[in-house]
Amino acid sequence: DPALVPWVLGALSAGSALGGLANGVVRWRTSARTRLCRFGVCLGLVLAAAGLAPDLWTLTAAMACAGAFIAPALTTAYLLADESAPESGRTRAGAWVNMAVNAGSSGGAMAAGLLIGRLPLPLCFTLAGGTALVAAVAAGGRVTGTAARVGAAASRQRRAA
């Protein structure tokens, strides 16, 4: 029923707002890189599972859960960009985050528009969730590689001192 679509999108937005508020009150002990990967994995899993919803109200609830990871992921991406860039490049780093969000949103909307009538809906949700999972795993691999390089550089500096 097309009349229920606004409720599903509204639930996604409400979930994002609540997730953002919750993210703001937590005292995180993990790095921004690690949190970003975890938020991406959680978003991907919830989106993939949303395709199994038996009715629109269950889908609405699932989308609220998915939304709970959107604002924290966005906020964390901006924090990571800010802490990763030199002070003179922070505006540019934030602009890259904006560009990535806009490109991903535009590309995702285009792909959804092309696939939604051609593939079963559960598969569309699985593909959307899979995209978030692939991005999180890729970022996780980058985190490991970055952490290893930073650790090796710090070790070299200690030996040189």
Side-chain angles (χ1 to χ4, degrees):
D1 182 9
L4 295 177
V5 171
W7 289 100
V8 176
L9 293 175
L12 182 72
S13 297
S16 182
L18 293 174
L21 290 171
N23 184 54
V25 299
V26 172
R27 289 190 166 250
W28 294 104
R29 295 184 181 151
T30 57
S31 71
R33 288 185 186 278
T34 300
R35 289 194 317 267
L36 184 58
C37 292
R38 290 178 182 172
F39 291 143
V41 166
C42 291
L43 176 61
L45 292 174
V46 174
L47 280 175
L52 302 173
D55 57 53
L56 276 172
W57 293 114
T58 307
L59 176 62
T60 301
M63 295 310 289
C65 291
F69 298 106
I70 293 174
L74 288 172
T75 302
T76 304
Y78 282 108
L79 290 172
L80 180 59
D82 193 56
E83 66 187 43
S84 298
E87 190 172 334
S88 63
R90 289 185 178 153
T91 300
R92 181 175 290 149
W96 277 104
V97 172
N98 277 341
M99 187 277 309
V101 169
N102 290 331
S105 178
S106 298
M110 182 183 70
L114 292 172
L115 299 177
I116 199 86
R118 293 179 172 92
L119 297 176
L121 193 56
L123 180 57
C124 291
F125 276 99
T126 301
L127 291 172
T131 302
L133 286 170
V134 166
V137 168
R142 174 84 174 128
V143 168
T144 302
T146 301
R149 284 191 301 278
V150 168
S155 178
R156 283 192 302 273
Q157 285 178 343
R158 282 192 299 272
R159 283 188 300 234

